[in-house]
Amino acid sequence: MLVVPKIAVPQSKLDKLADDLKKLEIQTVVKVGEAPVPAFQRQGYLEKLGHNKSKWFKRFFVLRDSFLLSYNLQKSDFTVEPRGAVHLGGANIQLVEESNGKNFCFVITTMQKDVFVLAAESDTERQAWVCDIDEARKVTHANMIKLSVENQCLAEEKGASAVARDNSTSALALFSNQEYIRSTPLTGGAEGWLRTKGFNPDEQKSGLLKSKPSFTKCYFILRDSHLLMFHGGDVLTKPRGCMYLLGTTVIVGEDVEGEGFPFTVKSTQCGDEIGLLASSHKVRARWIQALQVGARVTYPDYQLLLKEHALLSAVTMTPRAAPPKAANMPAERLELPPPPLHVEDFDLQGQQLDPGAMQPFDSEGNPILRNPEGKLVDANGEALSATQPRFGPSGEQLDPFNRPLPPGAVPMFTQDAQPIGVGPDGLHYLPDGTQVDESAPHFDVSGNQLPQEVVVAANAISTNLNVAIKVRQVLRGDDSMPEVVDVLGRTFREMNDKKSQEGVLLNADGDLVPLQSARRVETGTGKLVDYASTQLPRSTDTTHLIIKVDNEGDEQQIGEVEIDSHTTLKDVRELIVKEIEVSFPDFVFLFNQVPLMKYEEKDRLALSCLPEVVVRGKELKSVTPSGVFSKKVTSLTAYEEQKKKEQQDFDSIMAQVRQGRFLRSAKQSILEP
């Protein structure tokens, strides 16, 4: 087992950390007139291009946490009926100078591949919106969980776990609860059919609406800090109602036989309320938990966790050398503070980043992408040399493996320009897993031999790697495939049974490397153990996973899939996509009433979903199955089709990169904590 020795932190630093954690405070409400209303990041008019791409519409937008809400006109209060609701979690933002006759445009592409083209009145206004949207898209349940677990693991890595546990805020305890993480996908929230009289029924009774409200069946989606209401057949970007959960309370009503299981959500901030009826005690309990958690998935709590992370990151275990002068590094970059560990989960191609890695950019601000063969390429599609400088989204310099460099460190190479990286164990390696002794000559990008103190400074990368790997393991849970990384902490492109039997694996760069260079991440502890000696034979036992759709609360079987102990939900998707993509394009799997992210599918074992899994499309349309399909695990042979799709996706994003449409970095946000 590979263990990194811990270095004790002086008690004086732990005492200061405890004091700093106790002092963390944040404003959660702003004042408008005499009444308090929920805080928002930005509001104002923008023009939106219609879906037919021929006409522009002026809309009033409110940016609140991870949602961009649109209204026909500016409102004097926070009404519950937006014209549209765009979920920004994981969205991409592209700048467009001109579109359909409008200047100062930008494009938002959501994780669900919905595209929204917006236009501001000036470049200054556009930049303000883009910066705030770029910040708001990070305020998600997934990032709150990830950041809380990072804080916990970082405190453990630095020997400060007791201090963090006793002095941090309740938000940290809420989002790092292990039982909750195991039972809830990273998307969080909940969704499903409930009965309701609608939002603010007292206003309806007072005559503001002509008809007397009655309980009707509606589809609710709780995403991050917002509760959205839909009717059957609705598109999931146009809710019939919306409620902000900051400051809400949940009141459980008295059960009435034959009527359902009532509960009411009330907002103390803006006076909104909604009464709901669940179909069972279990469903109600799940919704109540999701509502309580959603009330904390807010920009203020996100900032609070970031502050905790900054305090924990500032606790140093070893003295650090002063940054040297680097020939390939602009002087202004040397003054940047150490980058935070909390980074994006995805690159611009929508792929999950390696532990501790960032989306790289070249010195001109162009994104560096990975082609379908695994090779890094520049904006022209040309292969990138290992010695070419690369930078993170905020300008921080990266090592040749796209990890932010610690203070005093520079990219390291052998004399023949092979990149050298630091692994989670603190040792130095080449990409193929060959170890390089720390005392051996290391060279910079210009071929100059590095001083020993600069070589040693790079070892601090191991702390971030260990924390990142441990966080990934906690978030994956016990019902996922064990993660396997190479000696540098990078995930493998393919875990092919046949190739592993031949003693090789395909690494992150698309190169075959010895099986001995693989490390399995131990479930529960996040420690690295030798992969080859712990590899288990694939079980030949199979069972069947039932595939269902939800037609307004009536679940109907549309097929079944034969699975074994290694089948993941990604395998299931590839197997059934042709059967259901016409009726349910871009479908998602629901696990415990929560949609799974695409990258969670490749980790989650299909066995954990037994006996059935429900799929949902982008619209709430009722579909009558024409027949029940049956697929076998032995049919998982869509390798060539998968590669073809990867090439098409790569060609599409390269075309956009060549147009300069991708935002280079998250420029300093104008939001103030």
Side-chain angles (χ1 to χ4, degrees):
M1 183 178 295
L2 305 173
V3 180
V4 180
K6 296 291 191 301
I7 303 174
V9 177
Q11 186 60 45
S12 59
K13 290 187 177 181
L14 294 179
D15 292 342
K16 184 178 186 304
L17 174 63
D19 290 340
D20 290 339
L21 288 172
K22 290 176 182 177
K23 294 175 183 176
L24 288 182
E25 294 180 358
I26 196 160
Q27 181 91 9
T28 63
V29 175
V30 296
K31 295 280 186 178
V32 176
E34 297 299 321
V37 297
F40 54 84
Q41 284 91 312
R42 179 166 289 278
Q43 62 176 345
Y45 281 101
L46 292 169
E47 293 199 65
K48 175 183 176 294
L49 185 62
H51 289 294
N52 60 7
K53 309 299 181 186
S54 63
K55 188 175 181 180
W56 289 90
F57 299 90
K58 191 172 185 178
R59 298 281 184 260
F60 186 77
F61 286 88
V62 174
L63 178 63
R64 199 167 57 190
D65 298 340
S66 64
F67 274 86
L68 182 63
L69 308 173
S70 64
Y71 303 86
N72 283 341
L73 299 170
Q74 182 174 359
K75 303 291 182 179
S76 59
D77 59 6
F78 289 82
T79 66
V80 298
E81 298 178 357
R83 185 175 181 86
V86 181
H87 183 237
L88 299 169
N92 272 326
I93 310 168
Q94 302 169 344
L95 298 180
V96 183
E97 289 307 316
E98 189 275 337
S99 177
N100 289 66
K102 291 288 183 180
N103 296 319
F104 314 120
C105 301
F106 59 99
V107 180
I108 300 173
T109 304
T110 69
M111 288 191 69
Q112 295 74 35
K113 305 303 180 184
D114 293 315
V115 179
F116 301 90
V117 183
L118 305 172
E121 291 187 353
S122 67
D123 185 58
T124 300
E125 183 183 357
R126 176 178 65 173
Q127 192 58 52
W129 273 103
V130 166
C131 286
D132 283 359
I133 289 173
D134 190 70
E135 186 76 5
R137 70 188 182 90
K138 303 171 188 175
V139 188
T140 64
H141 178 274
N143 278 346
M144 297 288 283
I145 292 285
K146 181 175 179 286
L147 189 51
S148 291
V149 174
E150 277 185 3
N151 288 355
Q152 188 180 65
C153 293
L154 188 59
E156 292 174 1
E157 190 73 15
K158 296 193 174 186
S161 56
V163 173
R165 182 182 62 249
D166 295 340
N167 297 280
S168 61
T169 66
S170 59
L172 178 61
L174 174 67
F175 291 105
S176 59
N177 181 279
Q178 296 300 302
E179 183 177 349
Y180 175 72
I181 293 174
R182 281 194 295 268
S183 63
T184 309
L186 285 176
T187 308
E191 61 178 78
W193 294 93
L194 299 169
R195 293 169 61 204
T196 183
K197 292 183 178 181
F199 289 96
N200 302 328
D202 288 341
E203 291 184 5
Q204 299 180 40
K205 292 178 183 178
S206 65
L208 295 180
L209 293 179
K210 295 180 180 179
S211 59
K212 184 177 181 180
S214 59
F215 278 102
T216 58
K217 187 184 292 185
C218 295
Y219 196 83
F220 287 87
I221 294 181
L222 195 169
R223 191 70 71 245
D224 300 335
S225 60
H226 287 70
L227 179 65
L228 311 174
M229 182 179 75
F230 302 88
H231 292 172
D234 284 351
V235 177
L236 297 182
T237 56
K238 296 183 177 296
R240 303 299 180 108
C242 175
M243 186 175 189
Y244 188 40
L245 297 178
L246 176 65
T248 56
T249 57
V250 181
I251 303 170
V252 179
E254 184 176 345
D255 300 344
V256 179
E257 187 175 352
E259 292 293 326
F261 301 85
F263 59 106
T264 301
V265 187
K266 288 189 175 183
S267 172
T268 58
Q269 302 291 344
C270 53
D272 292 333
E273 71 171 86
I274 186 169
L276 301 164
L277 286 175
S279 59
S280 68
H281 277 293
K282 182 179 179 181
V283 171
R284 180 172 64 182
R286 177 72 186 89
W287 273 99
I288 290 174
Q289 180 191 47
L291 287 162
Q292 291 170 340
V293 173
R296 300 300 300 269
V297 187
T298 61
Y299 180 72
D301 273 326
Y302 175 74
Q303 288 293 312
L304 189 61
L305 289 174
L306 281 178
K307 287 184 176 182
E308 289 184 351
H309 189 282
L311 291 175
L312 291 166
S313 298
V315 178
T316 55
M317 298 183 291
T318 56
R320 291 177 173 176
K325 297 290 183 181
N328 64 311
M329 190 173 177
E332 63 269 17
R333 297 190 190 276
L334 291 171
E335 304 304 321
L336 290 173
L341 177 61
H342 178 65
V343 295
E344 296 286 348
D345 281 326
F346 307 97
D347 60 20
L348 289 178
Q349 297 166 268
Q351 301 298 315
Q352 189 177 25
L353 291 162
D354 286 322
M358 289 182 168
Q359 165 65 50
F361 295 82
D362 65 20
S363 57
E364 301 298 322
N366 299 303
I368 297 170
L369 304 179
R370 198 176 288 278
N371 69 17
E373 287 73 44
K375 307 302 182 184
L376 291 175
V377 297
D378 60 21
N380 296 316
E382 300 294 330
L384 196 74
S385 70
T387 57
Q388 183 166 336
R390 58 196 73 181
F391 303 92
S394 299
E396 54 273 80
Q397 191 175 26
L398 308 180
D399 74 356
F401 306 97
N402 303 328
R403 292 96 56 95
L405 287 165
V410 298
M412 303 184 299
F413 306 89
T414 61
Q415 194 166 17
D416 58 352
Q418 292 188 72
I420 300 174
V422 177
D425 55 6
L427 302 178
H428 296 201
Y429 296 97
L430 300 180
D432 65 0
T434 302
Q435 185 177 341
V436 179
D437 192 273
E438 184 182 291
S439 61
H442 289 54
F443 299 85
D444 66 15
V445 69
S446 300
N448 303 310
Q449 186 169 343
L450 294 170
Q452 189 62 24
E453 62 267 23
V454 177
V455 175
V456 172
N459 294 347
I461 290 178
S462 65
T463 299
N464 281 6
L465 284 179
N466 278 296
V467 172
I469 290 171
K470 189 179 294 186
V471 168
R472 284 270 280 266
Q473 182 56 40
V474 171
L475 299 183
R476 289 163 68 95
D478 300 335
D479 295 324
S480 300
M481 290 286 288
E483 184 160 35
V484 181
V485 298
D486 65 12
V487 291
L488 290 165
R490 303 184 301 168
T491 54
F492 288 92
R493 283 183 63 79
E494 288 183 12
M495 297 301 297
N496 186 287
D497 288 339
K498 182 178 180 180
K499 289 191 180 300
S500 65
Q501 291 170 7
E502 297 171 354
V504 292
L505 291 172
L506 202 64
N507 73 0
D509 299 319
D511 298 323
L512 292 174
V513 297
L515 185 64
Q516 288 75 17
S517 67
R519 305 286 184 264
R520 181 172 63 82
V521 184
E522 194 173 62
T523 301
T525 66
K527 295 179 180 178
L528 302 182
V529 297
D530 182 69
Y531 173 71
S533 62
T534 59
Q535 196 176 9
L536 299 175
R538 185 161 186 153
S539 172
T540 58
D541 296 336
T542 62
T543 186
H544 289 85
L545 177 68
I546 297 173
I547 311 297
K548 288 187 172 183
V549 294
D550 186 343
N551 284 335
E552 298 193 12
D554 179 22
E555 293 185 355
Q556 295 180 318
Q557 180 178 347
I558 60 172
E560 65 177 19
V561 176
E562 184 182 81
I563 61 174
D564 65 15
S565 61
H566 279 56
T567 308
T568 66
L569 283 182
K570 180 183 178 184
D571 297 329
V572 174
R573 171 181 289 276
E574 293 173 356
L575 198 58
I576 69 175
V577 63
K578 285 190 174 181
E579 302 288 342
I580 65 175
E581 64 180 354
V582 174
S583 300
F584 301 98
D586 297 318
F587 68 88
V588 295
F589 292 110
L590 299 181
F591 181 80
N592 284 348
Q593 295 180 266
V594 181
L596 286 162
M597 294 183 180
K598 288 287 181 65
Y599 76 81
E600 289 181 283
E601 293 177 11
K602 71 180 180 64
D603 297 328
R604 183 167 291 278
L605 292 170
L607 289 175
S608 69
C609 300
L610 289 175
E612 61 193 33
V613 65
V614 177
V615 299
R616 169 186 56 76
K618 296 169 68 172
E619 297 181 25
L620 296 174
K621 57 184 179 182
S622 180
V623 175
T624 302
S626 57
V628 177
F629 61 81
S630 180
K631 297 287 185 177
K632 292 186 178 181
V633 69
T634 52
S635 300
L636 297 173
T637 56
Y639 183 79
E640 291 301 325
E641 290 188 11
Q642 178 185 347
K643 291 299 179 183
K644 182 178 179 181
K645 185 178 185 305
E646 288 178 359
Q647 185 65 51
Q648 291 172 341
D649 292 343
F650 175 74
D651 292 341
S652 174
I653 196 169
M654 280 300 298
Q656 297 176 63
V657 168
R658 291 188 182 106
Q659 296 172 15
R661 292 179 61 180
F662 274 101
L663 181 68
R664 181 196 176 275
S665 65
K667 295 184 179 179
Q668 187 173 1
S669 174
I670 65 171
L671 296 173
E672 294 295 335

